[in-house]
Amino acid sequence: MNVQPLLDALGIQEDAARALADDLRTQIEDLHGRLREAEIHLEHLAITRKTVTALADRLPAVPPDLPEHPDYPRILAVFNEATGPLRARDVCEALDHELLPKNVEGTRAKLKRLVKLDILTEIDTGNFTRKS
């Protein structure tokens, strides 16, 4: 019996299997390289997140834009010096406004606007304090 054709067929299959294995090894090496790059990128992102978080804690809070009226910065100055909650009447006095109902109500409206801007807190009806 002549086994040469069988050995030739096995050689062809071995060559094909070897070529496939070499190709797969090349693909695996490429995937390992890409995986290393992705893992390094993930590490850098984690370091960046940690750094940004640490820096954000050190940055001063950015105050929201105040309405254009000149009383708003003065009102905030009154609250910065206050030791407790204030009523609209207290703020009027501190701003040297006459204690007329229209002035007190106008000040109350400004205080409520500052509550909506998340700068002040109304702790109970009519008592306002600076947001902590």
Side-chain angles (χ1 to χ4, degrees):
M1 169 173 185
N2 188 2
V3 291
Q4 191 58 44
L6 181 59
L7 293 174
D8 290 343
L10 283 172
I12 291 171
Q13 286 185 6
E14 283 178 334
D15 290 344
R18 192 172 293 110
L20 177 61
D22 289 343
D23 184 46
L24 290 172
R25 277 189 211 95
T26 302
Q27 288 181 34
I28 288 170
E29 288 173 15
D30 180 52
L31 288 173
H32 275 293
R34 290 173 57 193
L35 177 60
R36 273 191 305 275
E37 289 174 8
E39 288 172 339
I40 289 169
H41 186 64
L42 280 170
E43 284 179 38
H44 290 173
L45 290 172
I47 291 167
T48 301
R49 176 180 297 281
K50 187 175 181 179
T51 303
V52 168
T53 302
L55 290 175
D57 292 341
R58 295 181 192 169
L59 294 175
V62 177
D65 292 332
L66 292 176
E68 291 295 318
H69 196 280
D71 274 352
Y72 285 100
R74 295 176 60 215
I75 290 171
L76 292 181
V78 169
F79 276 94
N80 286 339
E81 294 175 12
T83 57
L86 299 172
R87 301 182 69 75
R89 182 180 180 86
D90 303 326
V91 176
C92 271
E93 285 180 321
L95 297 177
D96 292 326
H97 292 319
E98 281 188 74
L99 295 179
L100 299 173
K102 69 176 187 172
N103 293 339
V104 173
E105 290 308 313
T107 301
R108 185 181 330 281
K110 289 178 180 84
L111 296 176
K112 289 196 178 274
R113 180 120 187 242
L114 291 171
V115 169
K116 285 183 182 176
L117 290 173
D118 207 32
I119 297 172
L120 296 181
T121 302
E122 189 170 9
I123 53 176
D124 54 51
T125 305
N127 284 312
F128 299 87
T129 186
R130 186 77 193 236
K131 194 106 175 165
S132 341

